[in-house]
Amino acid sequence: MSISIKTADEIEKMRVAGRLAAQVLEMIAPYVKPNITTDELNQICHDYIVNVQQAIPAPLNYNGFPKSICTSVNHQVCHGIPGSRILKEGDIVNIDITVLKDGYHGDTSEMFMVGNKPSILANRLIKVTLECLYLGIEQVKPGNHFGDIGFAIQQHAEKNRFSVVREYCGHGIGRIFHEPPNVLHYGEKGTGEEIKPGMIFTIEPMINAGKRFVKLLPDKWTVVTKDHSLSAQWEHTILVTDSGFQVLTRRENEMIGSISKKLI
Ligand code: MF3
Ligand code: CO
Ligand code: CO
């Protein structure tokens, strides 16, 4: 299957879905504090998506996933299942939201530090991973290739002595949650398909403080680092425009590119 080019009508619906997904992250942020369980975060997001947004939490029952959001804590890389775990001071947690509205998906995730004294390593990992996402996003323009995105991300992660998870990647998105292409977070410039206006896909680098290797827990969902090192991830849904990109899941007070510009 080839990479779909969205129509103007589809792009409008993707904008709506993307905005809703971003708004769930804005809504949940103040709740991410010591002593809350990941299940409580799931319930609050679920109720907000269903009752306020009148949308569908796409993860629920997706390939059997049992909850409405993913919560991945500390050495969990992605697809953590909300449950009775109580967040404590110093934890880091990724909250991954996918909203389905009017037949279209918006997919985005954010890292949160629990409490206000994160370790220096956690702080640096989260910051570098966000920079990786932004550097990847800045490669999105017609004529560039998907490998340019992966190259930019891998370079920045490894320059900071972190590693890039290979087993999971970004993805095309639209009516279908995960559609072509696979958007790798590592690679070589000029490789992969050409990026064209009207494509919509996610970029969602998973960066480990230790080695890149991961394993799947017996729950068949939660991915963790093999060496138990910390892992971070940020995700946006990106539209390719005639001149570059638009971030469909940008949060209200998020300045895209402001970090990466400082790096150059
Ligand atoms: N939101 C995840 C992604 O970024 C996918 C979660 S699938 C689930 O692609 F089933 F685990 F929810
Ligand atoms: Co995604
Ligand atoms: Co996601």
Side-chain angles (χ1 to χ4, degrees):
M1 211 172 105
S2 60
I3 306 172
S4 73
I5 303 296
K6 268 68 177 178
T7 63
D9 202 59
E10 291 182 292
I11 290 170
E12 203 37 58
K13 290 181 169 148
M14 289 296 289
R15 273 189 217 295
V16 172
R19 186 176 316 122
L20 291 176
Q23 285 169 346
V24 178
L25 288 175
E26 293 172 331
M27 180 280 302
I28 201 65
Y31 293 95
V32 187
K33 294 276 141 65
N35 293 320
I36 195 160
T37 67
T38 51
D39 223 356
E40 286 168 327
L41 295 173
N42 175 73
Q43 196 60 53
I44 297 164
C45 290
H46 176 94
D47 292 345
Y48 186 80
I49 293 166
V50 171
N51 299 325
V52 178
Q53 299 187 328
Q54 304 196 307
I56 297 166
L60 187 59
N61 302 319
Y62 178 79
N63 292 337
F65 191 78
K67 298 284 177 171
S68 297
I69 66 172
C70 297
T71 52
S72 304
V73 184
N74 296 340
H75 74 293
Q76 297 177 351
V77 174
C78 63
H79 304 166
I81 305 174
S84 57
R85 182 183 189 135
I86 300 166
L87 294 180
K88 60 175 198 324
E89 177 87 41
D91 283 342
I92 62 170
V93 57
N94 174 275
I95 300 183
D96 193 336
I97 304 291
T98 312
V99 167
L100 175 59
K101 178 78 172 181
D102 207 3
Y104 289 84
H105 293 82
D107 190 6
T108 184
S109 80
E110 177 173 0
M111 291 303 298
F112 296 90
M113 312 201 238
V114 182
N116 42 26
K117 17 185 206 288
S119 73
I120 287 169
L121 178 64
N123 199 56
R124 193 169 73 85
L125 177 65
I126 288 173
K127 177 173 171 287
V128 168
T129 305
L130 181 61
E131 291 165 353
C132 284
L133 172 60
Y134 288 166
L135 289 168
I137 289 172
E138 287 174 9
Q139 290 300 318
V140 176
K141 56 173 166 243
N144 273 11
H145 290 252
F146 281 93
D148 299 334
I149 299 172
F151 178 80
I153 292 170
Q154 183 180 9
Q155 280 276 106
H156 189 61
E158 293 179 354
K159 193 176 75 195
N160 284 282
R161 287 168 279 105
F162 294 145
S163 66
V164 179
V165 172
R166 310 292 170 100
E167 289 82 354
Y168 301 86
C169 56
H171 49 92
I173 183 168
R175 259 189 192 286
I176 301 170
F177 192 166
H178 297 102
E179 61 180 43
N182 284 334
V183 181
L184 305 183
H185 303 117
Y186 59 93
E188 299 299 333
K189 280 185 194 172
T191 64
E193 292 223 38
E194 194 179 315
I195 296 172
K196 301 201 168 112
M199 289 180 174
I200 300 182
F201 51 85
T202 73
I203 304 177
E204 47 183 300
M206 284 142 275
I207 307 296
N208 298 344
K211 296 202 188 321
R212 67 177 179 84
F213 304 103
V214 299
K215 65 180 184 196
L216 192 60
L217 293 188
D219 67 17
K220 297 279 178 66
W221 280 106
T222 312
V223 179
V224 299
T225 55
K226 224 176 208 171
D227 61 9
H228 282 107
S229 62
L230 284 180
S231 188
Q233 178 177 32
W234 295 82
E235 173 175 27
H236 272 311
T237 299
I238 313 293
L239 163 69
V240 186
T241 64
D242 290 333
S243 59
F245 62 84
Q246 256 172 39
V247 178
L248 301 184
T249 46
R250 191 178 72 82
R251 294 177 298 284
E252 194 79 49
N253 56 12
E254 185 183 9
M255 299 304 291
I256 308 281
S258 61
I259 292 181
S260 68
K261 281 209 186 71
K262 283 183 207 150
L263 297 172
I264 297 161

PDB file of all heavy atoms in Angstrom, residues 38 71-81 85 92-94 111 208 217 219 222-225 228-233:
ATOM      1  N   THR A  38      -2.125   5.690  37.473  1.00  0.00           N
ATOM      2  CA  THR A  38      -2.237   5.818  36.015  1.00  0.00           C
ATOM      3  C   THR A  38      -3.659   5.483  35.560  1.00  0.00           C
ATOM      4  O   THR A  38      -4.131   6.013  34.559  1.00  0.00           O
ATOM      5  CB  THR A  38      -1.201   4.931  35.313  1.00  0.00           C
ATOM      6  OG1 THR A  38      -1.267   3.592  35.829  1.00  0.00           O
ATOM      7  CG2 THR A  38       0.202   5.479  35.535  1.00  0.00           C
ATOM      8  N   THR A  71       0.111   4.957  29.242  1.00  0.00           N
ATOM      9  CA  THR A  71       0.932   5.637  30.250  1.00  0.00           C
ATOM     10  C   THR A  71       2.201   4.819  30.444  1.00  0.00           C
ATOM     11  O   THR A  71       2.137   3.674  30.886  1.00  0.00           O
ATOM     12  CB  THR A  71       0.171   5.759  31.586  1.00  0.00           C
ATOM     13  OG1 THR A  71      -0.316   4.471  31.983  1.00  0.00           O
ATOM     14  CG2 THR A  71      -1.012   6.721  31.476  1.00  0.00           C
ATOM     15  N   SER A  72       3.337   5.385  30.094  1.00  0.00           N
ATOM     16  CA  SER A  72       4.605   4.642  30.145  1.00  0.00           C
ATOM     17  C   SER A  72       5.539   5.338  31.123  1.00  0.00           C
ATOM     18  O   SER A  72       5.930   6.490  30.901  1.00  0.00           O
ATOM     19  CB  SER A  72       5.210   4.564  28.747  1.00  0.00           C
ATOM     20  OG  SER A  72       4.254   3.982  27.849  1.00  0.00           O
ATOM     21  N   VAL A  73       5.852   4.646  32.215  1.00  0.00           N
ATOM     22  CA  VAL A  73       6.560   5.245  33.351  1.00  0.00           C
ATOM     23  C   VAL A  73       8.032   4.806  33.377  1.00  0.00           C
ATOM     24  O   VAL A  73       8.330   3.609  33.240  1.00  0.00           O
ATOM     25  CB  VAL A  73       5.890   4.835  34.686  1.00  0.00           C
ATOM     26  CG1 VAL A  73       6.564   5.527  35.871  1.00  0.00           C
ATOM     27  CG2 VAL A  73       4.392   5.140  34.664  1.00  0.00           C
ATOM     28  N   ASN A  74       8.934   5.756  33.549  1.00  0.00           N
ATOM     29  CA  ASN A  74      10.368   5.511  33.776  1.00  0.00           C
ATOM     30  C   ASN A  74      11.002   4.645  32.678  1.00  0.00           C
ATOM     31  O   ASN A  74      11.224   5.130  31.581  1.00  0.00           O
ATOM     32  CB  ASN A  74      10.599   4.937  35.175  1.00  0.00           C
ATOM     33  CG  ASN A  74      10.212   5.926  36.253  1.00  0.00           C
ATOM     34  OD1 ASN A  74      10.131   7.131  35.989  1.00  0.00           O
ATOM     35  ND2 ASN A  74       9.959   5.446  37.462  1.00  0.00           N
ATOM     36  N   HIS A  75      11.296   3.364  32.957  1.00  0.00           N
ATOM     37  CA  HIS A  75      11.975   2.547  31.946  1.00  0.00           C
ATOM     38  C   HIS A  75      10.994   1.926  30.953  1.00  0.00           C
ATOM     39  O   HIS A  75      11.402   1.183  30.066  1.00  0.00           O
ATOM     40  CB  HIS A  75      12.839   1.477  32.613  1.00  0.00           C
ATOM     41  CG  HIS A  75      12.052   0.354  33.211  1.00  0.00           C
ATOM     42  ND1 HIS A  75      11.226   0.519  34.287  1.00  0.00           N
ATOM     43  CD2 HIS A  75      11.961  -0.946  32.858  1.00  0.00           C
ATOM     44  CE1 HIS A  75      10.665  -0.640  34.581  1.00  0.00           C
ATOM     45  NE2 HIS A  75      11.090  -1.543  33.727  1.00  0.00           N
ATOM     46  N   GLN A  76       9.704   2.236  31.100  1.00  0.00           N
ATOM     47  CA  GLN A  76       8.737   1.792  30.094  1.00  0.00           C
ATOM     48  C   GLN A  76       8.873   2.695  28.869  1.00  0.00           C
ATOM     49  O   GLN A  76       8.872   3.922  28.984  1.00  0.00           O
ATOM     50  CB  GLN A  76       7.318   1.831  30.659  1.00  0.00           C
ATOM     51  CG  GLN A  76       7.150   0.857  31.833  1.00  0.00           C
ATOM     52  CD  GLN A  76       5.785   0.912  32.485  1.00  0.00           C
ATOM     53  OE1 GLN A  76       4.979   1.802  32.191  1.00  0.00           O
ATOM     54  NE2 GLN A  76       5.524  -0.024  33.378  1.00  0.00           N
ATOM     55  N   VAL A  77       8.989   2.070  27.707  1.00  0.00           N
ATOM     56  CA  VAL A  77       9.279   2.791  26.467  1.00  0.00           C
ATOM     57  C   VAL A  77       8.000   3.311  25.823  1.00  0.00           C
ATOM     58  O   VAL A  77       7.926   4.457  25.372  1.00  0.00           O
ATOM     59  CB  VAL A  77      10.038   1.859  25.499  1.00  0.00           C
ATOM     60  CG1 VAL A  77      10.228   2.507  24.132  1.00  0.00           C
ATOM     61  CG2 VAL A  77      11.373   1.444  26.106  1.00  0.00           C
ATOM     62  N   CYS A  78       6.990   2.457  25.750  1.00  0.00           N
ATOM     63  CA  CYS A  78       5.714   2.837  25.136  1.00  0.00           C
ATOM     64  C   CYS A  78       4.661   1.780  25.444  1.00  0.00           C
ATOM     65  O   CYS A  78       4.980   0.701  25.945  1.00  0.00           O
ATOM     66  CB  CYS A  78       5.845   3.016  23.620  1.00  0.00           C
ATOM     67  SG  CYS A  78       6.306   1.518  22.733  1.00  0.00           S
ATOM     68  N   HIS A  79       3.408   2.142  25.144  1.00  0.00           N
ATOM     69  CA  HIS A  79       2.269   1.218  25.252  1.00  0.00           C
ATOM     70  C   HIS A  79       2.032   0.695  26.666  1.00  0.00           C
ATOM     71  O   HIS A  79       1.463  -0.389  26.847  1.00  0.00           O
ATOM     72  CB  HIS A  79       2.411   0.036  24.274  1.00  0.00           C
ATOM     73  CG  HIS A  79       2.575   0.455  22.854  1.00  0.00           C
ATOM     74  ND1 HIS A  79       2.997  -0.389  21.860  1.00  0.00           N
ATOM     75  CD2 HIS A  79       2.380   1.665  22.262  1.00  0.00           C
ATOM     76  CE1 HIS A  79       3.068   0.276  20.708  1.00  0.00           C
ATOM     77  NE2 HIS A  79       2.697   1.524  20.931  1.00  0.00           N
ATOM     78  N   GLY A  80       2.459   1.482  27.683  1.00  0.00           N
ATOM     79  CA  GLY A  80       2.160   1.098  29.056  1.00  0.00           C
ATOM     80  C   GLY A  80       0.650   1.122  29.296  1.00  0.00           C
ATOM     81  O   GLY A  80      -0.049   2.015  28.813  1.00  0.00           O
ATOM     82  N   ILE A  81       0.161   0.133  30.026  1.00  0.00           N
ATOM     83  CA  ILE A  81      -1.277   0.020  30.303  1.00  0.00           C
ATOM     84  C   ILE A  81      -1.584   0.697  31.641  1.00  0.00           C
ATOM     85  O   ILE A  81      -1.005   0.323  32.662  1.00  0.00           O
ATOM     86  CB  ILE A  81      -1.708  -1.463  30.380  1.00  0.00           C
ATOM     87  CG1 ILE A  81      -1.312  -2.209  29.102  1.00  0.00           C
ATOM     88  CG2 ILE A  81      -3.201  -1.573  30.639  1.00  0.00           C
ATOM     89  CD1 ILE A  81      -1.575  -3.718  29.171  1.00  0.00           C
ATOM     90  N   ARG A  85      -0.770   1.429  39.504  1.00  0.00           N
ATOM     91  CA  ARG A  85       0.513   2.065  39.856  1.00  0.00           C
ATOM     92  C   ARG A  85       0.308   3.513  40.297  1.00  0.00           C
ATOM     93  O   ARG A  85      -0.349   4.291  39.604  1.00  0.00           O
ATOM     94  CB  ARG A  85       1.454   2.031  38.651  1.00  0.00           C
ATOM     95  CG  ARG A  85       2.807   2.622  38.949  1.00  0.00           C
ATOM     96  CD  ARG A  85       3.689   2.638  37.710  1.00  0.00           C
ATOM     97  NE  ARG A  85       5.047   3.015  38.069  1.00  0.00           N
ATOM     98  CZ  ARG A  85       6.134   2.408  37.634  1.00  0.00           C
ATOM     99  NH1 ARG A  85       6.037   1.399  36.789  1.00  0.00           N
ATOM    100  NH2 ARG A  85       7.325   2.822  38.007  1.00  0.00           N
ATOM    101  N   ILE A  92       9.045   9.775  35.779  1.00  0.00           N
ATOM    102  CA  ILE A  92       8.704  10.441  34.517  1.00  0.00           C
ATOM    103  C   ILE A  92       7.687   9.551  33.815  1.00  0.00           C
ATOM    104  O   ILE A  92       7.752   8.327  33.901  1.00  0.00           O
ATOM    105  CB  ILE A  92       9.932  10.701  33.617  1.00  0.00           C
ATOM    106  CG1 ILE A  92      10.630   9.411  33.193  1.00  0.00           C
ATOM    107  CG2 ILE A  92      10.912  11.634  34.320  1.00  0.00           C
ATOM    108  CD1 ILE A  92      11.704   9.621  32.111  1.00  0.00           C
ATOM    109  N   VAL A  93       6.716  10.189  33.159  1.00  0.00           N
ATOM    110  CA  VAL A  93       5.654   9.401  32.519  1.00  0.00           C
ATOM    111  C   VAL A  93       5.291  10.007  31.170  1.00  0.00           C
ATOM    112  O   VAL A  93       5.156  11.218  31.044  1.00  0.00           O
ATOM    113  CB  VAL A  93       4.405   9.283  33.435  1.00  0.00           C
ATOM    114  CG1 VAL A  93       3.848  10.630  33.836  1.00  0.00           C
ATOM    115  CG2 VAL A  93       3.310   8.421  32.786  1.00  0.00           C
ATOM    116  N   ASN A  94       5.179   9.133  30.187  1.00  0.00           N
ATOM    117  CA  ASN A  94       4.658   9.542  28.881  1.00  0.00           C
ATOM    118  C   ASN A  94       3.175   9.250  28.845  1.00  0.00           C
ATOM    119  O   ASN A  94       2.737   8.149  29.188  1.00  0.00           O
ATOM    120  CB  ASN A  94       5.357   8.773  27.748  1.00  0.00           C
ATOM    121  CG  ASN A  94       4.733   9.078  26.392  1.00  0.00           C
ATOM    122  OD1 ASN A  94       3.747   8.462  25.997  1.00  0.00           O
ATOM    123  ND2 ASN A  94       5.284  10.019  25.670  1.00  0.00           N
ATOM    124  N   MET A 111       5.823  14.052  27.599  1.00  0.00           N
ATOM    125  CA  MET A 111       6.480  13.590  28.826  1.00  0.00           C
ATOM    126  C   MET A 111       6.134  14.513  29.983  1.00  0.00           C
ATOM    127  O   MET A 111       6.161  15.742  29.827  1.00  0.00           O
ATOM    128  CB  MET A 111       8.009  13.591  28.664  1.00  0.00           C
ATOM    129  CG  MET A 111       8.575  12.572  27.714  1.00  0.00           C
ATOM    130  SD  MET A 111       8.157  10.858  28.069  1.00  0.00           S
ATOM    131  CE  MET A 111       8.903  10.598  29.683  1.00  0.00           C
ATOM    132  N   ASN A 208      16.372   6.198  24.614  1.00  0.00           N
ATOM    133  CA  ASN A 208      16.772   5.572  25.885  1.00  0.00           C
ATOM    134  C   ASN A 208      18.040   6.224  26.434  1.00  0.00           C
ATOM    135  O   ASN A 208      18.955   6.560  25.677  1.00  0.00           O
ATOM    136  CB  ASN A 208      17.052   4.083  25.688  1.00  0.00           C
ATOM    137  CG  ASN A 208      15.815   3.319  25.219  1.00  0.00           C
ATOM    138  OD1 ASN A 208      14.689   3.822  25.316  1.00  0.00           O
ATOM    139  ND2 ASN A 208      16.030   2.108  24.716  1.00  0.00           N
ATOM    140  N   LEU A 217       6.770  -6.916  27.891  1.00  0.00           N
ATOM    141  CA  LEU A 217       6.368  -7.575  29.141  1.00  0.00           C
ATOM    142  C   LEU A 217       5.312  -8.651  28.844  1.00  0.00           C
ATOM    143  O   LEU A 217       4.683  -8.644  27.787  1.00  0.00           O
ATOM    144  CB  LEU A 217       5.815  -6.542  30.132  1.00  0.00           C
ATOM    145  CG  LEU A 217       6.817  -5.524  30.679  1.00  0.00           C
ATOM    146  CD1 LEU A 217       6.180  -4.692  31.794  1.00  0.00           C
ATOM    147  CD2 LEU A 217       8.100  -6.191  31.177  1.00  0.00           C
ATOM    148  N   ASP A 219       2.416  -8.851  29.693  1.00  0.00           N
ATOM    149  CA  ASP A 219       1.065  -8.328  29.380  1.00  0.00           C
ATOM    150  C   ASP A 219       0.870  -8.135  27.879  1.00  0.00           C
ATOM    151  O   ASP A 219      -0.193  -7.749  27.422  1.00  0.00           O
ATOM    152  CB  ASP A 219       0.787  -7.030  30.159  1.00  0.00           C
ATOM    153  CG  ASP A 219       1.673  -5.851  29.730  1.00  0.00           C
ATOM    154  OD1 ASP A 219       2.277  -5.887  28.648  1.00  0.00           O
ATOM    155  OD2 ASP A 219       1.751  -4.871  30.504  1.00  0.00           O
ATOM    156  N   THR A 222       3.200  -3.663  27.227  1.00  0.00           N
ATOM    157  CA  THR A 222       4.190  -2.743  27.771  1.00  0.00           C
ATOM    158  C   THR A 222       5.578  -3.068  27.237  1.00  0.00           C
ATOM    159  O   THR A 222       6.067  -4.190  27.388  1.00  0.00           O
ATOM    160  CB  THR A 222       4.210  -2.822  29.306  1.00  0.00           C
ATOM    161  OG1 THR A 222       2.872  -2.759  29.787  1.00  0.00           O
ATOM    162  CG2 THR A 222       5.037  -1.690  29.887  1.00  0.00           C
ATOM    163  N   VAL A 223       6.212  -2.073  26.617  1.00  0.00           N
ATOM    164  CA  VAL A 223       7.577  -2.213  26.121  1.00  0.00           C
ATOM    165  C   VAL A 223       8.499  -1.539  27.127  1.00  0.00           C
ATOM    166  O   VAL A 223       8.229  -0.407  27.545  1.00  0.00           O
ATOM    167  CB  VAL A 223       7.708  -1.555  24.732  1.00  0.00           C
ATOM    168  CG1 VAL A 223       9.131  -1.664  24.211  1.00  0.00           C
ATOM    169  CG2 VAL A 223       6.707  -2.160  23.749  1.00  0.00           C
ATOM    170  N   VAL A 224       9.557  -2.230  27.550  1.00  0.00           N
ATOM    171  CA  VAL A 224      10.510  -1.665  28.510  1.00  0.00           C
ATOM    172  C   VAL A 224      11.931  -1.759  27.949  1.00  0.00           C
ATOM    173  O   VAL A 224      12.200  -2.565  27.048  1.00  0.00           O
ATOM    174  CB  VAL A 224      10.453  -2.393  29.883  1.00  0.00           C
ATOM    175  CG1 VAL A 224       9.081  -2.262  30.510  1.00  0.00           C
ATOM    176  CG2 VAL A 224      10.858  -3.854  29.761  1.00  0.00           C
ATOM    177  N   THR A 225      12.827  -0.951  28.495  1.00  0.00           N
ATOM    178  CA  THR A 225      14.226  -1.060  28.087  1.00  0.00           C
ATOM    179  C   THR A 225      14.809  -2.331  28.706  1.00  0.00           C
ATOM    180  O   THR A 225      14.528  -2.672  29.859  1.00  0.00           O
ATOM    181  CB  THR A 225      15.042   0.159  28.548  1.00  0.00           C
ATOM    182  OG1 THR A 225      14.896   0.320  29.964  1.00  0.00           O
ATOM    183  CG2 THR A 225      14.573   1.433  27.863  1.00  0.00           C
ATOM    184  N   HIS A 228      16.855  -1.634  31.689  1.00  0.00           N
ATOM    185  CA  HIS A 228      16.105  -0.859  32.694  1.00  0.00           C
ATOM    186  C   HIS A 228      16.505   0.612  32.771  1.00  0.00           C
ATOM    187  O   HIS A 228      16.171   1.297  33.748  1.00  0.00           O
ATOM    188  CB  HIS A 228      16.175  -1.522  34.083  1.00  0.00           C
ATOM    189  CG  HIS A 228      15.247  -2.690  34.198  1.00  0.00           C
ATOM    190  ND1 HIS A 228      15.672  -3.994  34.215  1.00  0.00           N
ATOM    191  CD2 HIS A 228      13.909  -2.760  34.243  1.00  0.00           C
ATOM    192  CE1 HIS A 228      14.632  -4.796  34.265  1.00  0.00           C
ATOM    193  NE2 HIS A 228      13.546  -4.074  34.283  1.00  0.00           N
ATOM    194  N   SER A 229      17.168   1.099  31.740  1.00  0.00           N
ATOM    195  CA  SER A 229      17.472   2.532  31.712  1.00  0.00           C
ATOM    196  C   SER A 229      16.195   3.317  31.407  1.00  0.00           C
ATOM    197  O   SER A 229      15.236   2.784  30.845  1.00  0.00           O
ATOM    198  CB  SER A 229      18.537   2.827  30.650  1.00  0.00           C
ATOM    199  OG  SER A 229      18.061   2.489  29.361  1.00  0.00           O
ATOM    200  N   LEU A 230      16.213   4.595  31.774  1.00  0.00           N
ATOM    201  CA  LEU A 230      15.069   5.476  31.521  1.00  0.00           C
ATOM    202  C   LEU A 230      14.831   5.623  30.025  1.00  0.00           C
ATOM    203  O   LEU A 230      15.770   5.601  29.227  1.00  0.00           O
ATOM    204  CB  LEU A 230      15.333   6.875  32.081  1.00  0.00           C
ATOM    205  CG  LEU A 230      15.241   7.106  33.580  1.00  0.00           C
ATOM    206  CD1 LEU A 230      15.545   8.587  33.856  1.00  0.00           C
ATOM    207  CD2 LEU A 230      13.864   6.733  34.129  1.00  0.00           C
ATOM    208  N   SER A 231      13.564   5.831  29.664  1.00  0.00           N
ATOM    209  CA  SER A 231      13.204   6.063  28.260  1.00  0.00           C
ATOM    210  C   SER A 231      12.220   7.221  28.182  1.00  0.00           C
ATOM    211  O   SER A 231      11.394   7.399  29.076  1.00  0.00           O
ATOM    212  CB  SER A 231      12.584   4.792  27.684  1.00  0.00           C
ATOM    213  OG  SER A 231      12.389   4.922  26.296  1.00  0.00           O
ATOM    214  N   ALA A 232      12.320   7.993  27.104  1.00  0.00           N
ATOM    215  CA  ALA A 232      11.390   9.116  26.904  1.00  0.00           C
ATOM    216  C   ALA A 232      10.843   9.093  25.480  1.00  0.00           C
ATOM    217  O   ALA A 232      11.467   8.532  24.569  1.00  0.00           O
ATOM    218  CB  ALA A 232      12.084  10.447  27.185  1.00  0.00           C
ATOM    219  N   GLN A 233       9.691   9.706  25.304  1.00  0.00           N
ATOM    220  CA  GLN A 233       9.057   9.792  23.976  1.00  0.00           C
ATOM    221  C   GLN A 233       8.187  11.036  23.912  1.00  0.00           C
ATOM    222  O   GLN A 233       7.518  11.390  24.889  1.00  0.00           O
ATOM    223  CB  GLN A 233       8.178   8.563  23.723  1.00  0.00           C
ATOM    224  CG  GLN A 233       7.447   8.628  22.380  1.00  0.00           C
ATOM    225  CD  GLN A 233       6.619   7.396  22.076  1.00  0.00           C
ATOM    226  OE1 GLN A 233       6.085   6.747  22.982  1.00  0.00           O
ATOM    227  NE2 GLN A 233       6.500   7.070  20.802  1.00  0.00           N
TER     228      GLN A 233
END
